[in-house]
Amino acid sequence: MAPEQALPDVDDSELVLRFPGEPITHDNKAQYRGRLQRRLLINRCTACGAWHHPPKPVCPQCWSSAVEATEVSGSGVIHLAVFLHQGPPAEGVDYSTPYPVVAVDLDDAPGTRFTSTVIGADNNDIAIGQRVRLDWTTRAGSPMPVFRLDGEVKK
Ligand SMILES: [Zn+2]
């Protein structure tokens, strides 16, 4: 990451407080620091170039520890879509709709998928192959990456 894109200077305990209920660990704390600036970060190995997600301290391809949280656009294609009729209570989640969950193949990080929800769309329009772009919402007072539909479905 370039110096001008430095992550926010919040210590680990404050980071945990900023994302109540989120499973923040040593391995994913850079990603959560990125969320504070509404930047989606995916780990990339600087030794072999492979991307991986969820975050791990070692590259699963070459075992290098030269892993860097790298910003991506968040644009991609829906690989999987499910609609939850029930689930754990969560702020901003309405299971009566029902609640969409998608896994998206990220354009900028080949081989990785990022899972979140889709906002601003009718559930009938959410489909596998649909292009999406990244957007942000606020959950429990914290920035959360989400997707919006963007363009046509690839058949
Ligand atoms: Zn590697």
Side-chain angles (χ1 to χ4, degrees):
M1 214 173 302
E4 67 272 16
Q5 296 177 309
L7 290 174
D9 185 23
V10 298
D11 68 24
D12 291 351
S13 49
E14 185 187 338
L15 189 67
V16 169
L17 293 174
R18 297 282 290 271
F19 293 94
E22 292 283 337
I24 297 176
T25 66
H26 178 76
D27 294 343
N28 67 21
K29 62 186 182 182
Q31 279 71 22
Y32 280 94
R33 284 194 167 87
R35 287 187 187 195
L36 290 174
Q37 297 173 320
R38 299 188 171 222
R39 297 161 60 202
L40 184 63
L41 304 179
I42 300 292
N43 276 0
R44 184 169 193 258
C45 173
T46 59
C48 78
W51 297 85
H52 65 269
H53 184 77
K56 300 176 191 71
V58 171
C59 172
Q61 297 297 318
C62 75
W63 294 15
S64 168
S65 58
V67 168
E68 195 169 272
T70 304
E71 186 169 7
V72 297
S73 71
S75 293
V77 175
I78 295 176
H79 175 81
L80 173 78
V82 296
F83 300 91
L84 301 180
H85 293 261
Q86 53 185 308
E91 181 187 306
V93 176
D94 176 11
Y95 295 106
S96 69
T97 312
Y99 183 72
V101 175
V102 294
V104 170
D105 288 320
L106 296 174
D107 291 345
D108 300 344
T112 66
R113 292 188 183 123
F114 191 82
T115 301
S116 186
T117 190
V118 175
I119 63 169
D122 189 293
N123 277 358
N124 292 322
D125 296 332
I126 299 170
I128 291 168
Q130 174 81 51
R131 286 206 56 83
V132 293
R133 60 187 160 81
L134 182 68
D135 200 351
W136 292 85
T137 190
T138 301
R139 282 281 164 79
S142 308
M144 174 183 165
V146 294
F147 294 103
R148 281 187 185 274
L149 299 185
D150 186 25
E152 299 301 311
V153 175
K154 275 197 305 193
K155 295 290 183 189

